Amino acid sequence: AQTVTQSQPEMSVQEAETVTLSCTYDTSESDYYLFWYKQPPSRQMILVIRQEAYKQQNATENRFSVNFQKAAKSFSLKISDSQLGDAAMYFCAYRVGRDDKIIFGKGTRLHILP
Amino acid sequence: ETGVTQSPTHLIKTRGQQVTLRCSSQSGHNTVSWYQQALGQGPQFIFQYYREEENGRGNFPPRFSGLQFPNYSSELNVNALELDDSALYLCASSLPPAGGTNEQFFGPGTRLTVL
């Protein structure tokens, strides 16, 4: 079964500091994609960053970067220089290349402390 | 460019009733996916529509059904509502096929409460 596990239900970080959110996944597929989505109180799911499994280089998007460990099936998100606007639920997600459904983890609620 | 919109924003129904939720896809997108997000959980895939036909379905009973119209907008219908159907229902649109690097763009969701 394809599963995504986020072991940290909640995390807090001081503004301007760095925080890492953890995610592990389980799959027997070789062609897949990994995502981190942000869901603020407005409820709209926003794609933060995407990683193709065939790429060894870790994806980065401005202050957001991932640590993709394919053998360990680990996909963590690092947020640098945390800002108040980063406060939200963060979902790790997975999609098999040929499929259209996205499988989400249960989420990590991130609090930013001023 | 217009983003994904959903209506209504909130809805309250009673057990046994039927409900229809609506989604307008982002301009140029002809693929629509629906997800159910229960409180405190991640979204779960219900089904996807492409070219007005169902193109993949998650583990949901037949009382969850959908439609896609020629303008690519979509409806999610739920019959015989149960208390456990209370959730945020998210719609996402994408370019075909949604596999590969094509991103799914999400709407703000419809909050359904079943009493």
Side-chain angles (χ1 to χ4, degrees):
Chain A
Q2 300 160 0
T3 59
V4 177
T5 302
Q6 294 179 249
S7 59
Q8 305 150 314
E10 285 195 66
M11 292 193 71
S12 296
V13 63
Q14 209 74 33
E15 194 176 2
E17 296 295 308
T18 295
V19 64
T20 299
L21 309 183
S22 302
C23 172
T24 58
Y25 60 95
D26 187 23
T27 183
S28 57
E29 303 287 341
S30 58
D31 176 24
Y32 57 90
Y33 300 82
L34 295 164
F35 310 89
W36 278 97
Y37 282 89
K38 171 185 178 181
Q39 188 178 40
S42 66
R43 311 181 318 199
Q44 191 132 14
M45 199 74 75
I46 302 164
L47 179 64
V48 174
I49 199 164
R50 170 178 51 221
Q51 175 80 44
E52 291 87 348
Y54 64 85
K55 289 186 177 179
Q56 291 187 336
Q57 187 172 6
N58 290 324
T60 62
E61 287 287 342
N62 301 313
R63 298 183 294 107
F64 299 87
S65 62
V66 298
N67 184 5
F68 174 44
Q69 301 290 326
K70 191 171 184 178
K73 296 181 181 175
S74 169
F75 183 61
S76 61
L77 173 70
K78 185 172 82 171
I79 305 174
S80 303
D81 184 26
S82 297
Q83 300 175 1
L84 294 177
D86 295 334
M89 282 291 288
Y90 285 82
F91 292 96
C92 179
Y94 156 97
R95 189 183 74 211
V96 173
R98 65 180 181 278
D99 274 353
D100 298 306
K101 66 180 179 183
I102 299 175
I103 298 170
F104 288 85
K106 290 188 175 183
T108 296
R109 182 170 298 282
L110 179 64
H111 302 276
I112 310 296
L113 307 174
Chain B
E1 185 177 83
T2 306
V4 179
T5 60
Q6 292 186 243
S7 63
T9 305
H10 298 91
L11 202 53
I12 299 175
K13 291 286 189 179
T14 56
R15 197 168 44 182
Q17 285 189 311
Q18 178 266 342
V19 70
T20 297
L21 310 182
R22 295 178 175 82
C23 170
S24 292
S25 60
Q26 184 163 314
S27 177
H29 289 183
N30 62 6
T31 303
V32 174
S33 303
W34 286 91
Y35 294 82
Q36 180 196 65
Q37 186 178 12
L39 195 62
Q41 302 293 317
Q44 284 195 301
F45 176 74
I46 303 174
F47 45 53
Q48 182 185 82
Y49 276 81
Y50 170 57
R51 290 185 174 178
E52 302 178 49
E53 293 198 358
E54 188 177 290
N55 180 47
R57 188 179 183 94
N59 188 27
F60 280 81
R63 59 190 186 84
F64 285 78
S65 63
L67 282 174
Q68 187 179 31
F69 300 98
N71 66 354
Y72 308 136
S73 65
S74 177
E75 288 182 353
L76 164 65
N77 299 291
V78 187
N79 293 323
L81 283 168
E82 300 177 0
L83 297 179
D84 284 348
D85 295 334
S86 295
L88 179 67
Y89 288 85
L90 297 169
C91 163
S93 75
S94 58
L95 293 169
T101 57
N102 285 340
E103 181 181 344
Q104 292 189 14
F105 292 83
F106 285 83
T110 293
R111 172 76 64 191
L112 173 65
T113 301
V114 182
L115 302 176

Coordinates of all heavy atoms in Angstrom, one line a residue, chain B residues 40-87:
Chain B
G40 N -8.8 17.4 10.7 CA -7.5 16.9 11.3 C -6.8 15.8 10.4 O -5.8 15.2 10.9
Q41 N -7.3 15.6 9.2 CA -6.7 14.6 8.3 C -6.2 15.3 7.0 O -6.5 16.4 6.7 CB -7.7 13.6 8.0 CG -8.3 12.9 9.1 CD -7.3 12.0 9.9 OE1 -6.5 11.3 9.2 NE2 -7.3 12.0 11.2
G42 N -5.4 14.5 6.3 CA -5.0 15.0 4.9 C -6.1 14.7 3.9 O -7.0 13.8 4.2
P43 N -6.1 15.3 2.8 CA -7.2 15.1 1.8 C -7.1 13.6 1.3 O -6.0 13.1 1.2 CB -6.8 16.1 0.7 CG -6.1 17.1 1.4 CD -5.3 16.5 2.4
Q44 N -8.2 13.1 1.0 CA -8.3 11.7 0.3 C -8.9 11.8 -1.0 O -10.0 12.5 -1.2 CB -9.1 10.8 1.2 CG -8.3 10.3 2.4 CD -9.0 9.1 3.1 OE1 -10.2 9.2 3.5 NE2 -8.3 8.0 3.1
F45 N -8.3 11.2 -2.0 CA -8.8 11.2 -3.4 C -10.1 10.5 -3.5 O -10.3 9.4 -3.1 CB -7.7 10.6 -4.3 CG -8.1 10.5 -5.7 CD1 -8.1 11.6 -6.6 CD2 -8.4 9.2 -6.3 CE1 -8.4 11.5 -7.9 CE2 -8.8 9.1 -7.6 CZ -8.7 10.2 -8.4
I46 N -11.1 11.2 -4.1 CA -12.4 10.6 -4.4 C -12.5 10.1 -5.8 O -12.7 8.9 -6.0 CB -13.6 11.7 -4.2 CG1 -13.5 12.2 -2.7 CG2 -14.9 11.0 -4.4 CD1 -14.5 13.3 -2.5
F47 N -12.3 11.0 -6.8 CA -12.3 10.6 -8.2 C -11.8 11.8 -9.0 O -11.6 12.9 -8.5 CB -13.6 10.1 -8.7 CG -14.8 10.9 -8.4 CD1 -14.9 12.3 -8.6 CD2 -15.9 10.3 -7.8 CE1 -16.0 13.0 -8.3 CE2 -17.0 11.0 -7.5 CZ -17.1 12.3 -7.7
Q48 N -11.5 11.5 -10.3 CA -11.1 12.5 -11.2 C -11.9 12.4 -12.5 O -12.3 11.3 -12.9 CB -9.6 12.2 -11.6 CG -9.0 13.3 -12.6 CD -7.6 13.0 -13.0 OE1 -7.4 12.2 -13.9 NE2 -6.7 13.6 -12.3
Y49 N -12.1 13.5 -13.1 CA -12.9 13.6 -14.4 C -12.0 14.2 -15.5 O -11.3 15.2 -15.2 CB -14.2 14.4 -14.3 CG -15.3 13.5 -13.7 CD1 -15.4 13.3 -12.4 CD2 -16.2 12.9 -14.6 CE1 -16.4 12.4 -11.9 CE2 -17.1 12.0 -14.1 CZ -17.2 11.8 -12.8 OH -18.2 11.0 -12.3
Y50 N -12.0 13.6 -16.6 CA -11.2 14.1 -17.8 C -12.1 13.9 -19.0 O -12.6 12.8 -19.2 CB -9.9 13.3 -17.9 CG -9.1 13.6 -19.2 CD1 -8.7 14.8 -19.5 CD2 -8.8 12.5 -20.0 CE1 -8.0 15.1 -20.7 CE2 -8.1 12.7 -21.2 CZ -7.7 14.0 -21.5 OH -7.0 14.2 -22.7
R51 N -12.3 14.9 -19.8 CA -13.1 14.9 -21.0 C -14.5 14.3 -20.6 O -15.0 13.4 -21.4 CB -12.4 14.1 -22.1 CG -11.2 14.8 -22.7 CD -10.7 14.0 -23.8 NE -9.6 14.7 -24.5 CZ -8.9 14.2 -25.5 NH1 -9.1 13.0 -26.0 NH2 -7.9 15.0 -26.0
E52 N -15.0 14.7 -19.6 CA -16.4 14.4 -19.1 C -16.6 13.0 -18.7 O -17.8 12.5 -18.5 CB -17.4 14.8 -20.2 CG -17.4 16.3 -20.7 CD -18.3 16.6 -21.8 OE1 -19.5 16.2 -21.7 OE2 -17.8 17.2 -22.8
E53 N -15.5 12.3 -18.5 CA -15.6 10.9 -18.0 C -14.8 10.7 -16.8 O -13.7 11.3 -16.6 CB -15.2 9.9 -19.1 CG -16.1 9.9 -20.3 CD -15.9 8.7 -21.2 OE1 -15.1 7.8 -20.9 OE2 -16.7 8.6 -22.2
E54 N -15.2 9.7 -15.9 CA -14.5 9.4 -14.7 C -13.2 8.7 -15.2 O -13.2 7.8 -15.9 CB -15.3 8.5 -13.8 CG -14.6 8.3 -12.5 CD -15.5 7.4 -11.5 OE1 -16.5 7.9 -11.1 OE2 -15.1 6.3 -11.3
N55 N -12.1 9.2 -14.6 CA -10.7 8.8 -15.0 C -10.0 8.4 -13.7 O -8.9 9.0 -13.4 CB -10.0 9.9 -15.8 CG -8.6 9.5 -16.2 OD1 -8.4 8.4 -16.7 ND2 -7.7 10.4 -16.0
G56 N -10.5 7.5 -13.0 CA -9.8 7.1 -11.7 C -10.7 7.4 -10.5 O -11.3 8.4 -10.5
R57 N -10.7 6.5 -9.6 CA -11.5 6.6 -8.4 C -10.8 6.1 -7.2 O -10.1 5.0 -7.3 CB -12.8 5.8 -8.7 CG -13.9 6.0 -7.6 CD -15.2 5.3 -7.9 NE -16.2 5.5 -6.9 CZ -17.1 6.5 -7.0 NH1 -17.2 7.2 -8.1 NH2 -18.0 6.7 -6.0
G58 N -11.0 6.7 -6.1 CA -10.5 6.3 -4.8 C -11.4 5.3 -4.1 O -12.4 4.9 -4.7
N59 N -11.2 5.1 -2.9 CA -12.0 4.1 -2.1 C -13.2 4.8 -1.5 O -13.3 4.9 -0.3 CB -11.1 3.5 -1.0 CG -11.8 2.3 -0.3 OD1 -12.6 1.7 -0.9 ND2 -11.4 2.1 0.9
F60 N -14.1 5.2 -2.3 CA -15.4 5.8 -1.9 C -16.6 5.0 -2.5 O -16.5 4.5 -3.6 CB -15.4 7.3 -2.3 CG -14.6 8.2 -1.5 CD1 -13.2 8.3 -1.6 CD2 -15.2 8.9 -0.4 CE1 -12.5 9.1 -0.8 CE2 -14.5 9.7 0.4 CZ -13.1 9.8 0.2
P61 N -17.7 4.9 -1.7 CA -18.8 4.2 -2.2 C -19.5 4.8 -3.4 O -19.3 6.0 -3.6 CB -19.7 4.1 -1.0 CG -19.4 5.3 -0.2 CD -17.9 5.5 -0.4
P62 N -20.4 4.1 -4.1 CA -21.1 4.6 -5.3 C -22.0 5.8 -5.0 O -22.3 6.5 -6.0 CB -21.9 3.4 -5.8 CG -21.2 2.2 -5.2 CD -20.6 2.6 -3.9
R63 N -22.3 6.0 -3.8 CA -23.2 7.2 -3.5 C -22.4 8.5 -3.7 O -23.1 9.6 -3.7 CB -23.8 7.1 -2.1 CG -22.9 7.0 -1.0 CD -23.5 6.7 0.4 NE -22.6 6.8 1.5 CZ -22.3 7.9 2.1 NH1 -22.8 9.0 1.7 NH2 -21.4 7.9 3.0
F64 N -21.1 8.4 -3.9 CA -20.3 9.5 -4.3 C -20.2 9.5 -5.8 O -19.7 8.5 -6.3 CB -18.9 9.5 -3.7 CG -18.9 9.9 -2.2 CD1 -19.2 9.0 -1.3 CD2 -18.5 11.2 -1.8 CE1 -19.2 9.3 0.1 CE2 -18.4 11.5 -0.5 CZ -18.8 10.6 0.5
S65 N -20.8 10.4 -6.5 CA -20.8 10.4 -7.9 C -20.4 11.8 -8.4 O -20.5 12.8 -7.7 CB -22.1 10.0 -8.5 OG -23.1 10.9 -8.2
G66 N -20.1 11.9 -9.7 CA -19.7 13.2 -10.3 C -20.1 13.4 -11.7 O -20.6 12.5 -12.4
L67 N -19.9 14.6 -12.1 CA -20.1 15.0 -13.5 C -19.1 16.0 -13.9 O -18.6 16.8 -13.1 CB -21.5 15.6 -13.7 CG -22.8 14.8 -13.7 CD1 -24.0 15.7 -13.7 CD2 -22.8 13.8 -14.9
Q68 N -18.8 16.0 -15.2 CA -18.0 17.1 -15.8 C -18.7 17.6 -17.0 O -19.2 16.8 -17.8 CB -16.5 16.6 -16.1 CG -15.7 17.8 -16.5 CD -14.2 17.4 -16.9 OE1 -14.0 16.3 -17.4 NE2 -13.3 18.3 -16.6
F69 N -18.7 18.9 -17.2 CA -19.5 19.5 -18.2 C -18.5 19.9 -19.4 O -17.3 20.0 -19.2 CB -20.3 20.7 -17.7 CG -21.2 20.3 -16.6 CD1 -20.9 20.4 -15.3 CD2 -22.5 19.7 -16.9 CE1 -21.8 20.1 -14.3 CE2 -23.3 19.4 -15.9 CZ -23.0 19.5 -14.6
P70 N -19.1 20.2 -20.6 CA -18.2 20.6 -21.7 C -17.3 21.8 -21.4 O -16.3 21.9 -22.0 CB -19.3 20.9 -22.8 CG -20.4 20.1 -22.5 CD -20.5 20.1 -21.0
N71 N -17.7 22.6 -20.5 CA -16.8 23.8 -20.1 C -15.8 23.4 -19.1 O -15.1 24.3 -18.5 CB -17.7 25.0 -19.7 CG -18.4 24.7 -18.4 OD1 -18.4 23.6 -17.8 ND2 -19.0 25.8 -17.8
Y72 N -15.7 22.1 -18.7 CA -14.8 21.5 -17.8 C -15.1 21.7 -16.3 O -14.4 21.2 -15.5 CB -13.3 22.0 -18.1 CG -12.9 21.8 -19.5 CD1 -12.2 22.8 -20.2 CD2 -13.2 20.6 -20.2 CE1 -11.8 22.6 -21.5 CE2 -12.8 20.5 -21.5 CZ -12.1 21.5 -22.1 OH -11.7 21.3 -23.4
S73 N -16.2 22.5 -16.0 CA -16.6 22.6 -14.7 C -17.1 21.2 -14.2 O -17.4 20.3 -15.0 CB -17.7 23.6 -14.5 OG -18.9 23.2 -15.2
S74 N -17.2 21.0 -12.9 CA -17.6 19.7 -12.4 C -18.5 19.8 -11.2 O -18.5 20.8 -10.5 CB -16.3 19.0 -12.0 OG -16.5 17.7 -11.4
E75 N -19.2 18.7 -11.0 CA -20.1 18.6 -9.8 C -19.7 17.3 -9.0 O -19.4 16.3 -9.7 CB -21.5 18.5 -10.2 CG -22.2 19.8 -10.6 CD -23.6 19.6 -10.9 OE1 -24.2 18.5 -10.9 OE2 -24.3 20.7 -11.2
L76 N -19.8 17.4 -7.7 CA -19.7 16.2 -6.9 C -21.0 16.0 -6.2 O -21.5 17.0 -5.6 CB -18.6 16.4 -5.8 CG -18.6 15.4 -4.6 CD1 -18.3 14.0 -5.1 CD2 -17.6 15.9 -3.6
N77 N -21.6 14.9 -6.4 CA -22.9 14.6 -5.8 C -22.7 13.5 -4.7 O -22.0 12.5 -4.9 CB -23.9 14.1 -6.8 CG -24.2 15.1 -7.9 OD1 -24.8 16.1 -7.6 ND2 -23.7 14.8 -9.1
V78 N -23.3 13.7 -3.6 CA -23.3 12.7 -2.5 C -24.7 12.4 -2.1 O -25.5 13.3 -1.7 CB -22.5 13.1 -1.3 CG1 -22.4 12.0 -0.3 CG2 -21.1 13.6 -1.7
N79 N -25.2 11.1 -2.2 CA -26.5 10.7 -1.9 C -26.5 10.1 -0.5 O -25.4 9.7 0.0 CB -27.0 9.7 -2.9 CG -27.3 10.3 -4.2 OD1 -27.7 11.4 -4.4 ND2 -26.9 9.5 -5.3
A80 N -27.7 10.0 0.1 CA -27.8 9.4 1.4 C -26.8 9.8 2.4 O -26.0 8.9 2.9 CB -27.9 7.9 1.2
L81 N -26.7 11.1 2.7 CA -25.6 11.6 3.5 C -25.5 10.9 4.9 O -26.5 10.6 5.5 CB -25.8 13.1 3.7 CG -25.4 14.0 2.5 CD1 -25.9 15.4 2.7 CD2 -23.9 14.0 2.3
E82 N -24.3 10.7 5.3 CA -24.0 10.1 6.6 C -23.2 11.1 7.4 O -22.6 12.0 6.8 CB -23.2 8.8 6.4 CG -23.9 7.7 5.6 CD -23.1 6.5 5.4 OE1 -21.9 6.5 5.9 OE2 -23.6 5.6 4.8
L83 N -23.2 11.0 8.7 CA -22.5 11.9 9.6 C -21.0 12.0 9.2 O -20.4 13.1 9.3 CB -22.7 11.5 11.1 CG -24.1 11.5 11.6 CD1 -24.1 11.1 13.1 CD2 -24.7 12.9 11.5
D84 N -20.4 10.9 8.9 CA -19.0 10.8 8.5 C -18.7 11.5 7.2 O -17.5 11.7 6.9 CB -18.5 9.4 8.4 CG -18.4 8.7 9.8 OD1 -18.4 9.5 10.8 OD2 -18.2 7.5 9.9
D85 N -19.7 12.0 6.5 CA -19.5 12.7 5.2 C -19.1 14.2 5.6 O -18.7 14.9 4.7 CB -20.7 12.7 4.3 CG -20.9 11.3 3.8 OD1 -20.0 10.5 3.7 OD2 -22.1 11.0 3.5
S86 N -19.3 14.6 6.8 CA -18.9 15.9 7.2 C -17.4 16.1 7.0 O -16.6 15.4 7.5 CB -19.2 16.2 8.7 OG -20.6 16.1 8.9
A87 N -17.0 17.1 6.1 CA -15.6 17.3 5.8 C -15.5 18.5 4.9 O -16.5 19.1 4.5 CB -15.1 16.0 5.0

